[in-house]
Amino acid sequence: MFHKEGHKIIFTALVIVVGSFFLIDEFVTLEWLRKGLMIAILIGFILILQFFRNPKRHTHVNDNHVLSSVDGKVVVIEEVEEPEFFKDKRIQVSVFMSPVNVHVTRYPISGNVAYSKYHPGKYLVAWHPKSSEENERTTVVVENNSIGPILFRQIAGALARRIVNYAKENTSVKQGDDSGFIKFGSRVDIFLPLHAEVKVELNQKVRGGETLIAEIS
């Protein structure tokens, strides 16, 4: 199953692959070179398919749980000042995605979208300390009656040049459903209240829509 953001790219890549195979077969006479070129092109196409895969996730909806928005590795767990929406101290949990991870962004909680904003910016490497404030990014806040507002932020990286955000203010969303897509390696930050009980550790691998990030009573 492939994400809708990749349909056009996959079709275009398939056309290029087929056309390239015909050209190689017609004009490249050396057998080893012909096979090598075909294998290289096929590997490239497989990588594109892998990048846009959208596997089904088994989300156990719980209004007191904050789930990971994306697949990747936890690279930050720290108390920070969140200046855009809360303007107070929060616990930041950041998940870094490599190009081989699934890049679908999912809602960490169910509730109502209270805030959704796109920010143009730079393309610093996603693990840069200032990437959360200076890179191209989107900020989304979802709020429910059990745990209040939770902010998550899609952040572009050095390779990620397009962020897709589906969240619209004043709409109801479900935990684990698609909230967007980030094309190529980047990261997502989640901002939790200080009393949240964080359930992940640094360098832990997480899965979007399944891994419990924090529990909030």
mmCIF file of all heavy atoms in Angstrom, residues 68 70-74 95-98 101-102 204-208:
data_model
loop_
_atom_site.group_PDB
_atom_site.id
_atom_site.type_symbol
_atom_site.label_atom_id
_atom_site.label_comp_id
_atom_site.label_asym_id
_atom_site.label_seq_id
_atom_site.Cartn_x
_atom_site.Cartn_y
_atom_site.Cartn_z
ATOM 1 N N SER A 68 3.309 8.059 19.125
ATOM 2 C CA SER A 68 4.272 8.640 18.201
ATOM 3 C C SER A 68 3.573 9.015 16.898
ATOM 4 O O SER A 68 2.726 8.271 16.394
ATOM 5 C CB SER A 68 5.399 7.648 17.914
ATOM 6 O OG SER A 68 6.330 8.209 16.999
ATOM 7 N N VAL A 70 5.243 9.509 14.054
ATOM 8 C CA VAL A 70 6.008 8.992 12.914
ATOM 9 C C VAL A 70 6.879 7.808 13.331
ATOM 10 O O VAL A 70 7.086 7.556 14.515
ATOM 11 C CB VAL A 70 6.926 10.087 12.304
ATOM 12 C CG1 VAL A 70 6.104 11.161 11.618
ATOM 13 C CG2 VAL A 70 7.839 10.695 13.371
ATOM 14 N N ASP A 71 7.397 7.109 12.327
ATOM 15 C CA ASP A 71 8.413 6.087 12.549
ATOM 16 C C ASP A 71 9.773 6.761 12.669
ATOM 17 O O ASP A 71 10.020 7.788 12.025
ATOM 18 C CB ASP A 71 8.465 5.118 11.367
ATOM 19 C CG ASP A 71 7.226 4.249 11.260
ATOM 20 O OD1 ASP A 71 6.186 4.626 11.833
ATOM 21 O OD2 ASP A 71 7.301 3.210 10.592
ATOM 22 N N GLY A 72 10.653 6.192 13.444
ATOM 23 C CA GLY A 72 12.000 6.745 13.535
ATOM 24 C C GLY A 72 12.657 6.439 14.858
ATOM 25 O O GLY A 72 12.357 5.435 15.514
ATOM 26 N N LYS A 73 13.568 7.316 15.262
ATOM 27 C CA LYS A 73 14.338 7.137 16.493
ATOM 28 C C LYS A 73 14.206 8.375 17.369
ATOM 29 O O LYS A 73 14.309 9.502 16.881
ATOM 30 C CB LYS A 73 15.812 6.884 16.153
ATOM 31 C CG LYS A 73 16.678 6.609 17.379
ATOM 32 C CD LYS A 73 18.082 6.193 16.975
ATOM 33 C CE LYS A 73 18.886 7.346 16.416
ATOM 34 N NZ LYS A 73 20.309 6.989 16.189
ATOM 35 N N VAL A 74 13.984 8.162 18.652
ATOM 36 C CA VAL A 74 13.875 9.273 19.606
ATOM 37 C C VAL A 74 15.252 9.906 19.796
ATOM 38 O O VAL A 74 16.208 9.232 20.197
ATOM 39 C CB VAL A 74 13.321 8.782 20.958
ATOM 40 C CG1 VAL A 74 13.270 9.935 21.960
ATOM 41 C CG2 VAL A 74 11.941 8.178 20.782
ATOM 42 N N VAL A 95 11.441 12.887 17.292
ATOM 43 C CA VAL A 95 11.695 11.638 16.583
ATOM 44 C C VAL A 95 12.309 11.968 15.230
ATOM 45 O O VAL A 95 11.725 12.724 14.445
ATOM 46 C CB VAL A 95 10.403 10.822 16.392
ATOM 47 C CG1 VAL A 95 10.693 9.552 15.585
ATOM 48 C CG2 VAL A 95 9.787 10.465 17.737
ATOM 49 N N PHE A 96 13.499 11.421 14.976
ATOM 50 C CA PHE A 96 14.186 11.651 13.700
ATOM 51 C C PHE A 96 13.859 10.526 12.735
ATOM 52 O O PHE A 96 13.909 9.347 13.084
ATOM 53 C CB PHE A 96 15.697 11.720 13.913
ATOM 54 C CG PHE A 96 16.481 11.796 12.635
ATOM 55 C CD1 PHE A 96 16.515 12.966 11.896
ATOM 56 C CD2 PHE A 96 17.169 10.687 12.167
ATOM 57 C CE1 PHE A 96 17.227 13.025 10.703
ATOM 58 C CE2 PHE A 96 17.891 10.737 10.985
ATOM 59 C CZ PHE A 96 17.915 11.920 10.248
ATOM 60 N N MET A 97 13.539 10.907 11.490
ATOM 61 C CA MET A 97 13.246 9.938 10.439
ATOM 62 C C MET A 97 14.382 9.917 9.431
ATOM 63 O O MET A 97 14.759 10.959 8.911
ATOM 64 C CB MET A 97 11.956 10.307 9.723
ATOM 65 C CG MET A 97 10.719 10.197 10.585
ATOM 66 S SD MET A 97 9.287 10.879 9.722
ATOM 67 C CE MET A 97 9.618 12.630 9.905
ATOM 68 N N SER A 98 14.890 8.740 9.130
ATOM 69 C CA SER A 98 15.874 8.596 8.060
ATOM 70 C C SER A 98 15.113 8.392 6.753
ATOM 71 O O SER A 98 13.907 8.127 6.758
ATOM 72 C CB SER A 98 16.786 7.401 8.331
ATOM 73 O OG SER A 98 16.092 6.202 8.082
ATOM 74 N N ASN A 101 12.765 5.309 6.588
ATOM 75 C CA ASN A 101 11.595 5.176 7.442
ATOM 76 C C ASN A 101 10.309 5.492 6.675
ATOM 77 O O ASN A 101 10.341 6.193 5.656
ATOM 78 C CB ASN A 101 11.669 6.127 8.644
ATOM 79 C CG ASN A 101 12.667 5.687 9.692
ATOM 80 O OD1 ASN A 101 13.522 6.463 10.106
ATOM 81 N ND2 ASN A 101 12.565 4.440 10.134
ATOM 82 N N VAL A 102 9.184 4.999 7.194
ATOM 83 C CA VAL A 102 7.873 5.428 6.697
ATOM 84 C C VAL A 102 7.712 6.905 7.048
ATOM 85 O O VAL A 102 7.972 7.310 8.182
ATOM 86 C CB VAL A 102 6.744 4.596 7.346
ATOM 87 C CG1 VAL A 102 5.374 5.142 6.959
ATOM 88 C CG2 VAL A 102 6.866 3.136 6.932
ATOM 89 N N GLN A 204 15.517 5.143 21.277
ATOM 90 C CA GLN A 204 14.522 4.093 21.087
ATOM 91 C C GLN A 204 13.856 4.254 19.721
ATOM 92 O O GLN A 204 13.521 5.351 19.296
ATOM 93 C CB GLN A 204 13.458 4.163 22.184
ATOM 94 C CG GLN A 204 12.345 3.127 22.030
ATOM 95 C CD GLN A 204 11.330 3.202 23.150
ATOM 96 O OE1 GLN A 204 11.624 3.640 24.258
ATOM 97 N NE2 GLN A 204 10.099 2.772 22.882
ATOM 98 N N LYS A 205 13.648 3.143 19.026
ATOM 99 C CA LYS A 205 12.937 3.175 17.760
ATOM 100 C C LYS A 205 11.438 3.120 18.020
ATOM 101 O O LYS A 205 10.977 2.355 18.870
ATOM 102 C CB LYS A 205 13.369 2.006 16.878
ATOM 103 C CG LYS A 205 14.804 2.123 16.398
ATOM 104 C CD LYS A 205 15.181 0.982 15.467
ATOM 105 C CE LYS A 205 16.612 1.135 14.975
ATOM 106 N NZ LYS A 205 17.007 0.028 14.056
ATOM 107 N N VAL A 206 10.688 3.946 17.299
ATOM 108 C CA VAL A 206 9.243 4.044 17.518
ATOM 109 C C VAL A 206 8.504 3.876 16.199
ATOM 110 O O VAL A 206 9.067 4.069 15.122
ATOM 111 C CB VAL A 206 8.870 5.391 18.168
ATOM 112 C CG1 VAL A 206 9.472 5.500 19.558
ATOM 113 C CG2 VAL A 206 9.341 6.569 17.305
ATOM 114 N N ARG A 207 7.214 3.562 16.304
ATOM 115 C CA ARG A 207 6.361 3.384 15.131
ATOM 116 C C ARG A 207 5.181 4.334 15.235
ATOM 117 O O ARG A 207 4.499 4.393 16.270
ATOM 118 C CB ARG A 207 5.869 1.936 15.031
ATOM 119 C CG ARG A 207 6.944 0.957 14.602
ATOM 120 C CD ARG A 207 6.536 -0.477 14.867
ATOM 121 N NE ARG A 207 5.328 -0.862 14.151
ATOM 122 C CZ ARG A 207 5.341 -1.405 12.922
ATOM 123 N NH1 ARG A 207 6.482 -1.604 12.297
ATOM 124 N NH2 ARG A 207 4.221 -1.752 12.343
ATOM 125 N N GLY A 208 4.937 5.068 14.143
ATOM 126 C CA GLY A 208 3.834 6.019 14.136
ATOM 127 C C GLY A 208 2.491 5.340 14.303
ATOM 128 O O GLY A 208 2.199 4.338 13.663
#
